[in-house]
Amino acid sequence: MHISQRRSGQQMLPQVGPGKIWMEMPTTDEAELRRFGAEVIAHGGAAVDCPVSGGCHRADTGNIAIFAGCDRAAFDRILPLLTTMGRRILHTGGLGSATVLKVVTTYLATAHLIASGEALLTAKAAGMGLNVAYEAIRISSGNSFSHETESQVILNGSRDISFTMDLVAKDIGLFQEVADRAGVPLELNPKMIEIFQDGIDRFGPRDLSPNIIKRLEQATGLDVRAPGVPAEMTDDEPEQPGDEVIATGRG
């Protein structure tokens, strides 16, 4: 939670009591979230962390995924609201678990973004047509959700996914903090933090995150663009009523 969020949270606490639910939806610090959530529970309320994932294009259509970390009783109370807001709703466990999993998914999305940019630029340097390279990746074991969405706006040149470099740096920084607290000696994420800090230093914190590929474009003198690809991500799935996703092995 940012300082402003902590201040507003403290102002909210006197209004918390039985029957009230505090829902924290931004991607935030898991340790601070658990601390403040404990205060909410101590005041008689329920606390839920419920970040969303899937991209702004899926948020626009209501097909976004929502994670919810809380006890089962609180989850059952808010499920009708969450299925109105999103498509796939996952109860991740206790308070803070949704936030941990959200930064796990953001870490993976960032790794895919960097890797896709390197793959496309290498294909270009090796003389491959980028439209063909995109399709080769899409139909292969190298495919990912990030490639099918973000690689298109990279190739278009708009690079517009409505997400900026400073937000990526924040999220992978939070993932690093989770790993550090858990005693996991990460190898890839510190390098990604370094890459995005370099991108921020060069292009500014509010530059669009797919423009991280500009580091390689500038280093090689190559332009990773191709004709006929869309300028923005779109969600082709029709909007449907949301439902709970049951994890394998859980009843």
Side-chain angles (χ1 to χ4, degrees):
M1 299 174 71
H2 298 296
I3 294 175
S4 60
Q5 290 175 298
R6 288 198 294 269
R7 186 179 299 116
S8 60
Q10 293 299 323
Q11 294 171 343
M12 177 195 74
L13 275 176
Q15 310 304 319
V16 172
K20 300 290 182 66
I21 302 177
W22 171 65
M23 298 171 63
E24 177 76 353
M25 300 196 75
T27 305
T28 188
D29 177 64
E30 167 242 351
E32 175 63 19
L33 183 140
R34 291 183 193 271
R35 183 201 66 76
F36 184 75
E39 291 192 52
V40 170
I41 293 169
H43 278 72
V48 186
D49 59 316
C50 46
V52 301
S53 184
C56 294
H57 62 302
R58 286 194 166 178
D60 287 343
T61 61
N63 286 330
I64 199 78
I66 305 177
F67 303 157
C70 56
D71 61 50
R72 184 70 208 192
F75 179 78
D76 288 339
R77 289 173 61 195
I78 65 172
L79 184 58
L81 173 62
L82 298 183
T83 54
T84 300
M85 296 171 60
R87 172 99 174 263
R88 298 171 180 90
I89 317 302
L90 179 65
H91 181 217
T92 56
L95 181 67
S97 61
T99 295
V100 169
L101 290 174
K102 171 58 191 293
V103 296
V104 165
T105 64
T106 305
Y107 158 75
L108 288 170
T110 304
H112 294 164
L113 172 62
I114 294 172
S116 293
E118 291 186 348
L120 291 170
L121 190 138
T122 301
K124 170 90 173 194
M128 301 294 104
L130 288 175
N131 297 82
V132 173
Y134 171 85
E135 290 298 334
I137 297 169
R138 188 185 67 82
I139 65 174
S140 74
S141 59
N143 192 31
S144 67
F145 176 80
S146 174
H147 173 67
E148 290 198 9
T149 53
E150 297 184 10
S151 289
Q152 293 191 79
V153 298
I154 287 174
L155 292 175
N156 172 274
S158 78
R159 315 279 161 93
D160 186 6
I161 66 167
S162 300
F163 207 72
T164 53
M165 290 192 186
D166 58 339
L167 295 178
V168 171
K170 173 183 75 72
D171 286 356
I172 60 177
L174 290 171
F175 176 72
Q176 186 67 47
E177 291 176 10
V178 170
D180 289 345
R181 284 193 292 267
V184 180
L186 298 179
E187 296 178 319
L188 181 57
N189 195 59
K191 184 61 178 179
M192 297 201 310
I193 291 173
E194 179 185 322
I195 288 170
F196 265 89
Q197 186 56 57
D198 182 58
I200 288 170
D201 292 342
R202 293 192 195 190
F203 314 124
R206 302 304 292 169
D207 201 359
L208 294 163
S209 58
N211 271 327
I212 199 68
I213 197 174
K214 289 195 298 187
R215 296 170 66 253
L216 290 178
E217 289 179 318
Q218 291 179 352
T220 61
L222 296 174
D223 183 17
V224 182
R225 302 184 194 215
V229 289
E232 59 184 19
M233 298 187 300
T234 57
D235 181 16
D236 295 329
E237 290 187 77
E239 184 174 356
Q240 296 183 14
D243 200 4
E244 181 182 359
V245 174
I246 304 297
T248 302
R250 289 177 60 179

